[in-house]
Amino acid sequence: MTTQDHAQDGEPSKLDANLAKIESLSARMMQALAKRKASDPGVAGPSNDLFVKATAAYLAGMMQDPAKVMEHQVAYWGRTLKHYAAAQAALASGDFKAPEPDPNLSDRRFSNPLWDTHPIFNLLKTQYLINTDAVKEAIGDMALEPDEKARVDYFTRQIVDMLAPTNFLGSNPDALEKAVATQGESLVQGLENLVADLEASDGDLLITLADKKAFVLGENIATTPGKVVFRNRMLELIQYAPSTETVHETPLVIFPPWINKFYVMDLKPQNSLIKWVVDQGFTLFVVSWVNPDSSFAEVGMDEYIYEGFLTVFDEVRQITGQDQINAAGYCIAGTTLGLTLSHLESLGKSPVRSATFFTTLTDFSDPGEVGVFLAADFMEGIGRQIDADGILSKKFMGRTFSFLRSNDLIYGPAIKSYMMGEAPPAFDLLFWNGDGTNLPGKMAKEYLYNLCRDDLFAKGRFLVKGVAAPLSGVKLPICAIACETDHIAHWRGSFNGIKQMGSKDKTFILAQSGHIAGVINPPSKGKYGHYVNPAVLTTPEEWRVASTFVPGSWWPKWREWLASKSGDQVAARHPDPAHSMCDAPGTYVTAVPVT
């Protein structure tokens, strides 16, 4: 059948029509790319020195132990020739099927049956996976310092993942099958999606992960009833309406990270941590941070502590009439909560009764996967970019975290959107993930340089208003929740920080899953379990081995702990209409900064 068979009465075929659209889309794409703002090359990748060191280490290994290198090479070429010969034999015999699949070469990217049944696709897949194993083996044998080896491994994996045959149209059977079935319509729609993403980000390629029109804050997402009861240049403070007749006497305030927006804790009623806390009979306040523009360039950690945390402590105590409150911090907000509590200890003040830390690092001696970005080359590049912009743009932050899970958050979505022409899904979590925020320039430098890179909090040398705030200064009762597969705040690092805090009342909970799914895990789902161990904190490994696994969410365990720190029951507190500024989720969460 030819393309002419699809045309009627001299009309162009669907394929011809689709091909004609490519010209106009290409023109739009070039216009979008022309708007791309130049960025410092130091934020795009490591310096050449890293690869020079890697090459030198490999060559040194060849000289010191040539037999081992030869053994690797012989094994690599042996596997390569074996699979190539099997594919050639299958084609020559006319038996159009692939060799028996190798169970050691499984990868969920290659789920299409053609990867196992078609000799050519099977050869591409198998050779790619053999190459991947060979690269991993070579890096594993390199004599490099641990931090350099981790960086070589990370950035090499990025290259290897980028070169997967699934990422190219000519070697992706899913995309080719759909292109044929739709007479090119899927490719045109994919180009439409690509151009739209470029236009939306002024020439930068940021993949749309979720349908942006599917969710409206306050209507079908972030819907827990509440009122904004305080606002300053840094934040809006939301007091949520009670759903019980009585509440615990001591209120709770949750500080979300300002790297993202707070409503990850209130995506929809079924998985809303905010709604669940309210339903447990707690008076709940949540901070919604401003999304800063360049006018915030000189806002640093001191401002987040004084205009943020300490101001909120005072407002919540005044609103509720309580001398003390309970506080919780998530990720970077947990780190800053720890600094704030240590600073209060040095001032002899105690407005906080207990503290909860969600996926929080305070000891950065081992920063985990993000440590690959803390070397001098990246730090210098980020510093120059911040000086130029006055902020650390959400684009850089989003791209960095996405590359930590590149197959899930970059290449997989790109294949579906740009090759398959699929519309992004109506997925609330991915919608939130794409709704990022900027960081003020001074604060970003202090966090990256003084905390992440130099580990000054754990070393007792981080200054708040010129006064040292050591980890040992956190002396009130604490509960920490870490997540087993967290790629941002790894649980062992979280454990080590909590261990060094000065509190004599510590509870540590290790949840299954990652940075978001491990925290946003409602009991009703019965999904991820958690580990508990009331023993004194020793090492992460010893604690983990001696811990007890508990099926289901950690939320009920935290509720019991929090209730024990929250006093008697009192009449439910409703937001005062006279001091209510607007309904939750407020205005800062939707404001678009001028950059």
Side-chain angles (χ1 to χ4, degrees):
M1 182 177 288
T2 66
T3 56
Q4 284 75 19
D5 294 322
H6 295 282
Q8 296 180 358
D9 301 324
E11 292 293 323
S13 69
K14 183 178 180 180
L15 178 60
D16 291 335
N18 285 329
L19 292 174
K21 294 178 184 178
I22 293 178
E23 184 175 353
S24 62
L25 286 171
S26 298
R28 280 176 55 195
M29 181 170 66
M30 296 307 297
Q31 291 173 356
L33 289 171
K35 296 179 181 179
R36 187 175 186 273
K37 180 181 177 182
S39 60
D40 192 288
V43 302
S47 68
N48 290 333
D49 289 347
L50 180 67
F51 297 105
V52 170
K53 289 180 180 179
T55 303
Y58 186 74
L59 292 175
M62 290 179 63
M63 299 297 292
Q64 294 169 7
D65 193 354
K68 189 173 185 178
V69 175
M70 288 299 296
E71 181 183 351
H72 289 173
Q73 289 293 319
V74 169
Y76 168 72
W77 286 111
R79 295 176 71 191
T80 296
L81 290 172
K82 175 184 175 182
H83 286 282
Y84 179 76
Q88 286 286 78
L91 288 170
S93 67
D95 188 9
F96 206 60
K97 67 178 183 180
E100 288 296 317
D102 186 338
N104 298 316
L105 295 175
S106 61
D107 190 308
R108 60 190 178 90
R109 287 174 292 180
F110 303 101
S111 58
N112 188 303
L114 286 174
W115 289 113
D116 287 328
T117 61
H118 191 290
I120 300 301
F121 284 121
N122 181 261
L123 178 64
L124 288 171
K125 179 198 79 168
T126 301
Q127 190 59 52
Y128 168 75
L129 295 176
I130 289 173
N131 293 347
T132 299
D133 286 347
V135 170
K136 289 180 181 177
E137 196 171 57
I139 293 172
D141 289 337
M142 287 183 182
L144 290 167
E145 292 297 320
D147 57 340
E148 291 180 339
K149 193 168 187 176
R151 298 190 84 218
V152 170
D153 177 66
Y154 173 82
F155 290 110
T156 303
R157 278 191 287 116
Q158 296 302 322
I159 296 171
V160 168
D161 287 344
M162 179 182 67
L163 295 176
T166 48
N167 295 338
F168 300 91
L169 176 63
S171 54
N172 187 314
D174 292 301
L176 291 171
E177 287 177 332
K178 190 167 185 180
V180 171
T182 62
Q183 296 186 59
E185 181 72 25
S186 61
L187 299 180
V188 174
Q189 185 57 55
L191 186 56
E192 284 270 15
N193 294 342
L194 172 62
V195 171
D197 283 350
L198 288 169
E199 291 174 337
S201 299
D202 294 325
D204 275 317
L205 183 55
L206 297 177
I207 302 166
T208 299
L209 298 177
D211 184 355
K212 296 179 180 179
K213 297 180 181 178
F215 301 101
V216 178
L217 270 68
E219 294 185 11
N220 61 355
I221 195 172
T223 59
T224 302
K227 299 286 185 180
V228 172
V229 293
F230 173 78
R231 179 187 295 128
N232 65 13
R233 68 167 181 158
M234 299 293 293
L235 59 89
E236 288 184 330
L237 179 63
I238 301 170
Q239 180 181 355
Y240 285 91
S243 60
T244 54
E245 293 185 1
T246 62
V247 294
H248 285 279
E249 186 177 28
T250 305
L252 169 68
V253 57
I254 298 178
F255 294 90
W258 49 90
I259 290 175
N260 292 101
K261 296 182 179 178
F262 82 92
Y263 66 89
V264 69
M265 297 183 290
D266 193 29
L267 293 173
K268 53 191 174 188
Q270 300 94 311
N271 63 355
S272 170
L273 176 60
I274 288 174
K275 181 180 185 302
W276 183 86
V277 169
V278 170
D279 289 344
Q280 306 313 302
F282 294 95
T283 300
L284 178 63
F285 295 81
V286 175
V287 166
S288 174
W289 298 101
V290 71
N291 189 358
D293 57 25
S294 58
S295 68
F296 284 75
E298 293 304 313
V299 168
M301 294 295 288
D302 280 353
E303 284 73 28
Y304 272 89
I305 290 172
Y306 269 80
E307 296 181 44
F309 287 77
L310 296 182
T311 296
V312 166
F313 292 165
D314 290 341
E315 290 296 327
V316 172
R317 289 193 299 153
Q318 181 179 341
I319 290 170
T320 61
Q322 295 296 305
D323 292 332
Q324 288 188 310
I325 65 173
N326 292 317
Y330 196 155
C331 191
I332 186 176
T335 307
T336 312
L337 174 60
L339 289 168
T340 304
L341 296 174
S342 180
H343 183 62
L344 285 168
E345 179 68 21
S346 71
L347 299 176
K349 298 180 179 180
S350 55
V352 181
R353 186 173 181 180
S354 75
T356 299
F357 298 93
F358 299 150
T359 63
T360 295
L361 284 181
T362 51
D363 178 346
F364 290 87
S365 57
D366 176 8
E369 290 187 55
V370 296
V372 299
F373 299 104
L374 300 179
D377 50 2
F378 265 107
M379 290 290 98
E380 292 170 3
I382 291 172
R384 291 190 298 266
Q385 191 68 54
I386 288 173
D387 290 341
D389 297 341
I391 57 172
L392 181 56
S393 171
K394 65 178 183 179
K395 294 179 181 179
F396 297 114
M397 299 297 293
R399 185 178 293 120
T400 297
F401 288 127
S402 292
F403 270 111
L404 292 175
R405 291 292 181 269
S406 57
N407 287 323
D408 294 329
L409 295 177
I410 296 179
Y411 301 122
I415 290 168
K416 291 180 179 179
S417 182
Y418 306 150
M419 287 191 200
M420 307 288 289
E422 297 178 6
F427 189 1
D428 54 0
L429 182 60
L430 290 179
F431 174 85
W432 166 83
N433 189 72
D435 191 13
T437 55
N438 306 316
L439 298 182
K442 183 179 179 181
M443 173 265 140
K445 283 187 175 182
E446 290 175 336
Y447 181 75
L448 291 172
Y449 298 174
N450 298 345
L451 288 170
C452 297
R453 184 190 65 186
D454 298 337
D455 197 23
L456 295 187
F457 193 6
K459 293 176 180 177
R461 302 206 308 269
F462 191 94
L463 303 182
V464 178
K465 292 290 186 178
V467 179
L471 263 176
S472 58
V474 182
K475 296 184 177 180
L476 45 66
I478 55 178
C479 179
I481 294 89
C483 297
E484 197 171 22
T485 58
D486 194 331
H487 61 287
I488 296 174
H490 66 114
W491 81 266
R492 290 175 177 83
S494 177
F495 182 100
N496 288 330
I498 297 299
K499 179 183 175 181
Q500 296 173 63
M501 291 181 178
S503 172
K504 296 180 180 179
D505 181 354
K506 300 178 184 179
T507 298
F508 189 84
I509 301 170
L510 178 59
Q512 290 184 311
S513 195
H515 195 69
I516 300 300
V519 174
I520 310 303
N521 181 30
S524 60
K525 298 293 185 181
K527 199 169 185 181
Y528 302 116
H530 59 281
Y531 299 87
V532 294
N533 182 353
V536 175
L537 304 188
T538 52
T539 68
E541 291 72 21
E542 290 174 352
W543 183 93
R544 173 69 177 79
V545 169
S547 65
T548 301
F549 178 74
V550 181
S553 173
W554 56 268
W555 292 8
K557 177 71 174 178
W558 180 50
R559 175 189 59 205
E560 295 174 8
W561 181 89
L562 190 61
S564 71
K565 315 297 182 186
S566 300
D568 298 328
Q569 293 286 310
V570 298
R573 303 181 181 99
H574 293 265
D576 184 354
H579 295 93
S580 299
M581 299 177 175
C582 64
D583 290 334
T587 61
Y588 279 11
V589 74
T590 56
V592 179
V594 178
T595 57

